[in-house]
Amino acid sequence: MTRQEIEPEKLSDATVVVIDVFLATTTLLTILENGARSVSPVASLEEAEEVGEALDRSHALRGGEQDAEKIEGYDLGPYPEEYAPEVVGGKDVIFVTTNGTRAISSAEPAKKLLLGCLRNAPAVSRYLEASGTESVYVVCAGSAGRFTIEDFLGASAILSRLNGDGYLDDWRLNDAAWLALDFAERYEGREKEALKGSRAGRWFLENGMAEEFEFVGDVGGSELVPKVVEGRLKPTLTGGD
């Protein structure tokens, strides 16, 4: 339900999917999709500096947020539309956020670490089934240790599609996963309705960011499933590589 629930010692044989719908994993997906040469999600400003020191500054971009504010001195903020192909194509992007990239860092002991959001939820579910993995943790980043509807909605979208043919019938589900499947029955096909009820969703709509809201809530808008390999994002291949 939140990144604070991650127990790294349990992840070594598992596939982990980290979800931060507003906005870290949605934006990271977009950066990779739009042609960045490398994408490094980092847990802190200090780590961002360390990673940046090893890069060619002329090809490096720093982006993200801290406490929902663009970081002073950084090139870009947290929003997907800032990372258009003409901006990030061929660039090395370092990205840091308050919750999402910290969740990614906490989950790095996983055997395989994936990024999910509403936009790639169907693709993630297909990848998980094709991979044949026997242990999956879906991690909602949350916000400052609190549960968020949007991340739970992302988890529900992935699990419900994974279970479309009864795939999870023989799996041992924890209570959160069981609840996510129940939630998906209520809102499958109506994800934006649920998103509008979330605190973050209301903020986007009340602040004139309807286009950004629509982008984030476009279930299946992307076929890309990013994986984290040695601190950088890589696209997965079909067949559950």
mmCIF file of all heavy atoms in Angstrom, residues 168 171 213 226:
data_model
loop_
_atom_site.group_PDB
_atom_site.id
_atom_site.type_symbol
_atom_site.label_atom_id
_atom_site.label_comp_id
_atom_site.label_asym_id
_atom_site.label_seq_id
_atom_site.Cartn_x
_atom_site.Cartn_y
_atom_site.Cartn_z
ATOM 1 N N LEU A 168 -4.671 -16.074 -11.567
ATOM 2 C CA LEU A 168 -4.293 -15.963 -10.152
ATOM 3 C C LEU A 168 -5.077 -16.905 -9.239
ATOM 4 O O LEU A 168 -4.895 -16.871 -8.021
ATOM 5 C CB LEU A 168 -4.477 -14.517 -9.671
ATOM 6 C CG LEU A 168 -3.585 -13.464 -10.341
ATOM 7 C CD1 LEU A 168 -3.935 -12.067 -9.838
ATOM 8 C CD2 LEU A 168 -2.106 -13.755 -10.083
ATOM 9 N N TRP A 171 -2.849 -18.767 -6.973
ATOM 10 C CA TRP A 171 -1.845 -17.975 -6.275
ATOM 11 C C TRP A 171 -2.305 -17.694 -4.845
ATOM 12 O O TRP A 171 -3.499 -17.615 -4.567
ATOM 13 C CB TRP A 171 -1.612 -16.649 -7.003
ATOM 14 C CG TRP A 171 -0.783 -16.783 -8.244
ATOM 15 C CD1 TRP A 171 -1.038 -17.572 -9.328
ATOM 16 C CD2 TRP A 171 0.427 -16.080 -8.539
ATOM 17 N NE1 TRP A 171 -0.059 -17.409 -10.280
ATOM 18 C CE2 TRP A 171 0.845 -16.498 -9.831
ATOM 19 C CE3 TRP A 171 1.183 -15.142 -7.853
ATOM 20 C CZ2 TRP A 171 2.002 -16.011 -10.433
ATOM 21 C CZ3 TRP A 171 2.330 -14.649 -8.455
ATOM 22 C CH2 TRP A 171 2.737 -15.083 -9.722
ATOM 23 N N PHE A 213 -4.113 15.191 -16.676
ATOM 24 C CA PHE A 213 -4.935 14.177 -16.028
ATOM 25 C C PHE A 213 -5.332 13.094 -17.026
ATOM 26 O O PHE A 213 -5.251 11.893 -16.726
ATOM 27 C CB PHE A 213 -6.187 14.833 -15.432
ATOM 28 C CG PHE A 213 -7.160 13.867 -14.822
ATOM 29 C CD1 PHE A 213 -7.091 13.555 -13.473
ATOM 30 C CD2 PHE A 213 -8.153 13.268 -15.590
ATOM 31 C CE1 PHE A 213 -7.990 12.650 -12.916
ATOM 32 C CE2 PHE A 213 -9.057 12.374 -15.039
ATOM 33 C CZ PHE A 213 -8.969 12.065 -13.696
ATOM 34 N N PRO A 226 9.087 -0.715 -18.565
ATOM 35 C CA PRO A 226 10.479 -0.467 -18.184
ATOM 36 C C PRO A 226 10.924 -1.401 -17.060
ATOM 37 O O PRO A 226 10.157 -1.718 -16.150
ATOM 38 C CB PRO A 226 10.460 0.988 -17.691
ATOM 39 C CG PRO A 226 9.141 1.549 -18.133
ATOM 40 C CD PRO A 226 8.205 0.387 -18.168
#
